Amino acid sequence: MQEKNKFRHTEKCLYEYKRNLSAINVLREDLRVERAGTDVHVQNYQLSFSFSGEPSNPVEARQIKIDGLEERIKKLERYTQPITQLIADLNAPENLKHSENKMLLDILKLLYFGKNTVEDVLYEMSIGRRTFTRKRRQLVLMALGYLAL
């Protein structure tokens, strides 16, 4: 992946972080419900043959569905867990109130999670555009490192 694409992909992960966390919770609930349903009929008399002419196999179909849910959860966790760790590190108690990490955390929350405009973030944080651009780039490169891209 080219550097520019890595940067954009990382920003996309930051923008979609909250949505991805919500999706993980929904998928986990679906997986829990699917695993709880242990009553699988050996033969489906409604549709005893699939469209390919093969006998139906509800046990296999159930396992394929479970595997699909697990795969989707793993994929989303691949992009959310590193960002969760980044947030924890930026918000660590050893960071002072006016440290650089607190500024990066504010940019993360206001721009990426809050989806505010750059102008609104500049106004809220009382910083200049050049400082913001430099700090934003630093934040995305830090997140890129956490994502191991």
Side-chain angles (χ1 to χ4, degrees):
M1 197 182 290
Q2 296 177 353
E3 286 299 315
K4 189 175 186 179
N5 291 339
K6 287 180 183 179
F7 192 89
R8 287 182 178 169
H9 179 72
T10 301
E11 279 199 310
K12 181 181 177 192
C13 290
L14 293 173
Y15 277 119
E16 294 180 353
Y17 174 74
K18 286 186 172 185
R19 183 187 63 82
N20 287 341
L21 286 179
S22 178
I24 288 170
N25 290 334
V26 170
L27 290 171
R28 281 188 179 145
E29 180 61 23
D30 290 349
L31 182 61
R32 187 191 65 74
V33 168
E34 191 64 34
R35 284 185 175 154
T38 58
D39 186 19
V40 176
H41 302 286
V42 176
Q43 181 67 39
N44 182 351
Y45 293 103
Q46 299 293 328
L47 180 61
S48 59
F49 291 93
S50 66
F51 293 110
S52 65
E54 298 291 322
S56 65
N57 189 345
V59 175
E60 180 183 20
R62 179 176 178 267
Q63 189 59 44
I64 289 172
K65 187 172 183 180
I66 288 172
D67 290 346
L69 288 168
E70 288 174 343
E71 186 64 33
R72 289 174 62 195
I73 291 169
K74 284 180 188 175
K75 184 178 179 182
L76 289 172
E77 285 178 340
R78 165 68 178 93
Y79 297 119
T80 56
Q81 286 177 347
I83 295 171
T84 301
Q85 185 61 49
L86 172 65
I87 294 167
D89 290 349
L90 291 175
N91 204 26
E94 57 268 6
N95 293 329
L96 298 175
K97 184 178 179 182
H98 298 291
S99 74
E100 185 175 288
N101 285 347
K102 292 294 185 182
M103 181 183 281
L104 295 175
L105 183 62
D106 288 343
I107 292 172
L108 180 64
K109 287 179 178 178
L110 294 172
L111 183 67
Y112 294 106
F113 299 166
K115 295 186 175 138
N116 296 297
T117 65
V118 171
E119 289 75 21
D120 290 342
V121 174
L122 293 174
Y123 178 78
E124 181 68 27
M125 294 181 66
S126 302
I127 58 173
R129 185 172 290 276
R130 289 182 67 189
T131 302
F132 171 79
T133 303
R134 192 172 62 251
K135 296 298 180 189
R136 178 183 183 179
R137 178 170 171 72
Q138 180 183 352
L139 173 65
V140 174
L141 291 176
M142 186 183 290
L144 197 146
Y146 276 74
L147 289 165
L149 296 175

